[in-house]
Amino acid sequence: MKAKMTLAKEFIIDKIDNRIYGSFIEHLGRAVYGGIYEPGHPSADEDGFRTDVIELVKELNVPIVRYPGGNFVSGYRWEDGVGPVEKRPKRLDLAWGTTEPNTFGTNEFMKWCQKADTDCMMAVNLGTRGPEEARNLVEYTNHKGNSYWSDLRKSHGFEEPWGIKLWCLGNEMDGAWQMGAKTATDYGRIALEASKVMKWTDDSIETVLCGSSSRNSMTFGEWEATSLGIAYDSVDYVSLHQYYGNHSDDPMSYLASTVELDDFIHTVICVCDFIKGKKKTKKVMNLSFDEWNVWYHSYNAPFDRWSIAPSLLEDIYNFEDALLVGSMMITLLRHCDRIKIACLAQLVNVIAPIFTETGGGIFKQTIFYPFEHMSNYGRGAALIPILTCDKYDCAAYTDVPYLEAIATYDEEKEEMAVFCVNKSMDDSAVMEINLLDFEGFTPFEHISMDGYDRKDENSIKNPFVKPHANPVPEADGKIVTVEMKPFSWNVIRLRK
Ligand code: AHR
C-alpha cells in the first residue's frame, strides 16, 4: 500500500497540553496496595512506595495522575485517609465490594506524586457527599494555615499546602452503578455549587464536570447539555470516559474503534459549543478525557468479596491491544485543540501498562510502549496530518483508513515525530512524508512494534513483546520514505 503525508509549520492543530499524557490511580484492586504502595517489598522506600514502579512511571513521563477514583470516590470519606495511620478506620468499599484499609490516603498520594515527578488531579465525592466535604478537602490540601482544615493538615505533619490545581467534580454520576448517581439536573446543580465553594476556597484551581460515563450511556448528549447548561460558567472542563474491547474477536473492527472515538469527541465538542452559543459567552469549554483504555480481558474474574486489595480488573494486554491504544492516543492528539487533559486508565495493575506481582517483580505490558513513545516524543504542537492512504470496510464500519497517524513538532528541541499504526494485517505501507517548510529536518530514528501474533502478550517471565529499531528511513530533500510493516506501531523521529 502506498500512502502520503504532508506536513507544514502552519498546519497546526494546537500546542499540546502535556496533561494529555496523564494517567489514573484508583483505590481499586492492587493499584494502590501491592501496586504503588507496598511496605516491606524489597524495592520499597522509607514511605513504602515501590521504587521499581516509580521508575517505570517516570519512563512513561506522566505529568498528572487522577486520584482516588473512579467509582471508589463516590463513597469515599477523605478524612478516613489522613492523620495517624493506627487511628484510620477500615471501611467497606461498595463500589468494588472490597475492604479499604485507609493506610494510604491523600498525603501519602501527594508524597508519591512528588517522588514520581507528577501532579495530582484530585476527585471529590459528589455521590454520597457534597460541596461541604469537597471544599473542606480543598482547604485541607491547599490553604496555607490558620483555619480548621489547614491546621489539621499541619498537625498531621504537612506544614506546606500541596497546592492541587485540578479537581474532578465526582465520577460518572450518570451511571446506575455509582453510589449517589444523579439525574443531569441534580448533578448540574451539585457540581455548580461544589465548584463555586471549592473555587471560593482557592481561586487558583480548575474543575472538571462529569460528562457521560461513556458514549453508550442512555443519556449521552442530553446529560452534557443539561449539566453544562447549569454549571458552564463555574467549570473549566467536561469529562469523557471510554473503554474498548475486542469482544467478537474481529481485529479489523476492533482497530476501527477509533472511528467511533473520533465521533464521540466531536459530539461532545458540539454539545459544549451549543451551550456556549446558547449562553452567548466567549468562554470555550475544553475536554478532559480522564478515563480511556482497552478493558475487557478481566471482565467477571472471581475474587473474595470484602478482601483487601484483591486482584481486580487485571487485564493482560496483547499485541493488538497495543495497536489500539496507540490509535486511541493518536485520535486524542488529533483533537488537542480541545482535549487538554487525558488519563490512561489506569497506571498500575488495574487495566494498566505496568504490572507488578505483590511481593515480586514487575513488567511492562504491551500497551506500555505506544504510550511511552507518544508521551516522551509527542510534545510541542500537533500537526494536521494531511494523509492519503487506502481504506477498508469491516463489520462495524466502512471506509476506515488503514493508517492512523499524527505528527508533532517540538520547536524548542527542534524535533519532530510521526506516529502511525498500520492496521492492515497483510500489507506493508510505504509512506512518503513531504516536509514542505520543515527545512533541514531529517529522520534519525524509526522505532516499531511488529511481527508479533496479535494475541501475543507479555508476562513477568517473558516480556518479549517490545519495540525495536529499524534502519533510518531514506530522505531525498524534503521527501522521507518510510516502510511500515503490516499490523505495526511506528515512530519516526526527525531533527535538524
Ligand atoms: O477505571 C475503572 C472504572 O471504570 C472506574 O472506577 C470508573 O470510573 C469506570 O467505570
Side-chain angles (χ1 to χ4, degrees):
M1 169 194 354
K2 288 210 182 315
K4 276 195 175 155
M5 181 185 254
T6 307
L7 301 175
K9 282 189 183 157
E10 289 76 23
F11 302 168
I12 277 184
I13 301 170
D14 206 349
K15 195 175 170 331
I16 299 163
D17 187 322
N18 289 340
R19 296 174 302 172
I20 207 164
Y21 299 115
S23 190
F24 178 27
I25 286 285
E26 177 168 0
H27 281 250
L28 193 188
R30 297 188 308 118
V32 172
Y33 307 104
I36 60 174
Y37 178 71
E38 195 184 333
H41 185 274
S43 85
D45 66 9
E46 66 286 0
D47 290 313
F49 304 151
R50 281 185 67 152
T51 55
D52 56 350
V53 172
I54 288 181
E55 267 168 43
L56 294 197
V57 172
K58 285 186 177 170
E59 281 184 32
L60 287 176
N61 201 2
V62 177
I64 197 147
V65 179
R66 184 166 172 252
Y67 173 85
N71 298 341
F72 171 81
V73 80
S74 294
Y76 186 46
R77 298 166 51 89
W78 67 265
E79 304 87 335
D80 291 346
V82 295
V85 174
E86 60 288 357
K87 290 200 177 139
R88 298 188 196 172
K90 281 200 183 88
R91 301 261 187 206
L92 297 187
D93 167 27
L94 305 187
W96 299 105
T98 57
T99 299
E100 171 54 51
N102 279 311
T103 48
F104 186 99
T106 302
N107 294 312
E108 286 80 17
F109 185 69
M110 296 312 298
K111 266 195 187 178
W112 180 84
C113 283
Q114 283 185 336
K115 290 188 173 176
D117 275 349
T118 191
D119 284 334
C120 169
M121 176 184 194
M122 184 67 85
V124 297
N125 175 354
L126 293 188
T128 60
R129 310 186 97 192
E132 169 72 0
E133 295 84 359
R135 68 129 164 164
N136 293 346
L137 179 56
V138 177
E139 185 180 317
Y140 181 90
T141 58
N142 286 14
H143 197 67
K144 211 163 168 20
N146 208 19
S147 71
Y148 178 79
W149 294 104
S150 58
D151 288 343
L152 186 66
R153 181 198 68 240
K154 289 183 179 202
S155 77
H156 292 159
F158 301 95
E159 185 60 28
E160 290 305 316
W162 292 111
I164 301 167
K165 293 290 172 225
L166 190 58
W167 295 77
C168 302
L169 301 166
N171 177 70
E172 295 189 350
M173 300 307 306
D174 61 329
W177 57 90
Q178 209 68 218
M179 286 173 264
K182 299 193 168 33
T183 64
T185 305
D186 288 348
Y187 174 65
R189 292 284 317 144
I190 198 173
L192 170 64
E193 294 307 318
S195 182
K196 258 168 52 183
V197 293
M198 289 163 74
K199 287 185 170 185
W200 287 347
T201 307
D202 178 352
D203 62 9
S204 72
I205 67 167
E206 292 186 312
T207 56
V208 183
L209 184 88
C210 289
S212 298
S213 48
S214 85
R215 181 179 178 270
N216 307 329
S217 155
M218 296 289 283
T219 51
F220 171 56
E222 280 300 325
W223 171 275
E224 282 78 0
T226 305
S227 56
L228 272 174
I230 297 166
Y232 198 95
D233 294 338
S234 181
V235 304
D236 304 280
Y237 307 90
V238 62
S239 77
L240 297 83
H241 289 182
Q242 192 68 46
Y243 297 95
Y244 290 112
N246 189 358
H247 299 281
S248 46
D249 200 17
D250 169 1
M252 297 315 279
S253 292
Y254 178 50
L255 291 187
S257 304
T258 46
V259 174
E260 185 193 287
L261 180 65
D262 199 70
D263 184 63
F264 179 28
I265 296 165
H266 178 70
T267 309
V268 175
I269 292 171
C270 289
V271 177
C272 290
D273 292 348
F274 164 65
I275 300 298
K276 175 176 182 281
K278 260 183 83 173
K279 285 189 169 288
K280 301 182 185 67
T281 169
K282 290 201 171 73
K283 177 177 174 179
V284 174
M285 186 62 54
N286 283 321
L287 275 46
S288 168
F289 212 125
D290 46 46
E291 286 189 33
W292 70 271
N293 202 351
V294 167
W295 172 15
Y296 77 109
H297 296 285
S298 62
Y299 276 178
N300 303 323
F303 70 101
D304 281 340
R305 202 160 161 77
W306 307 130
S307 57
I308 296 176
S311 295
L312 276 174
L313 279 59
E314 296 198 354
D315 274 32
I316 299 298
Y317 291 112
N318 58 36
F319 180 58
E320 67 185 3
D321 297 332
L323 297 189
L324 184 62
V325 163
S327 302
M328 289 179 81
M329 190 81 248
I330 288 170
T331 308
L332 298 183
L333 268 203
R334 276 205 304 267
H335 290 281
C336 75
D337 53 332
R338 297 300 286 271
I339 301 178
K340 300 299 168 188
I341 302 152
C343 303
L344 174 69
Q346 299 191 6
L347 186 56
V348 185
N349 292 333
V350 173
I351 44 173
I354 299 170
F355 198 93
T356 70
E357 275 177 348
T358 303
I362 189 164
F363 72 93
K364 298 175 183 177
Q365 295 239 39
T366 59
I367 63 167
F368 184 97
Y369 298 104
F371 187 92
E372 180 201 13
H373 293 150
M374 293 196 69
S375 175
N376 281 286
Y377 308 137
R379 306 259 173 156
L383 302 172
I384 299 169
I386 300 174
L387 177 70
T388 47
C389 68
D390 291 352
K391 298 182 175 178
Y392 68 91
D393 295 341
C394 56
Y397 305 97
T398 52
D399 284 333
V400 183
Y402 274 113
L403 303 186
E404 187 99 51
I406 188 85
T408 57
Y409 170 42
D410 190 332
E411 201 174 354
E412 229 168 83
K413 286 192 175 163
E414 293 203 312
E415 276 190 19
M416 298 172 71
V418 174
F419 304 95
C420 185
V421 175
N422 179 4
K423 299 181 182 180
S424 169
M425 298 186 78
D426 312 307
D427 281 344
S428 284
V430 178
M431 182 154 81
E432 263 185 29
I433 306 170
N434 188 340
L435 294 175
L436 285 186
D437 58 350
F438 283 101
E439 295 286 345
F441 277 83
T442 49
F444 67 95
E445 192 172 30
H446 175 193
I447 311 165
S448 70
M449 288 173 82
D450 52 53
Y452 296 106
D453 184 276
R454 65 188 178 92
K455 298 297 181 194
D456 279 345
E457 55 189 40
N458 287 340
S459 65
I460 225 136
K461 286 209 176 102
N462 194 13
F464 68 106
V465 183
K466 51 182 161 202
H468 65 87
N470 295 281
V472 174
E474 279 175 25
D476 181 4
K478 288 178 188 167
I479 306 291
V480 176
T481 308
V482 193
E483 185 184 339
M484 292 177 286
K485 297 274 161 48
F487 226 56
S488 61
W489 163 253
N490 300 272
V491 185
I492 299 102
R493 300 180 65 204
L494 306 98
R495 68 180 163 217
K496 254 189 161 167

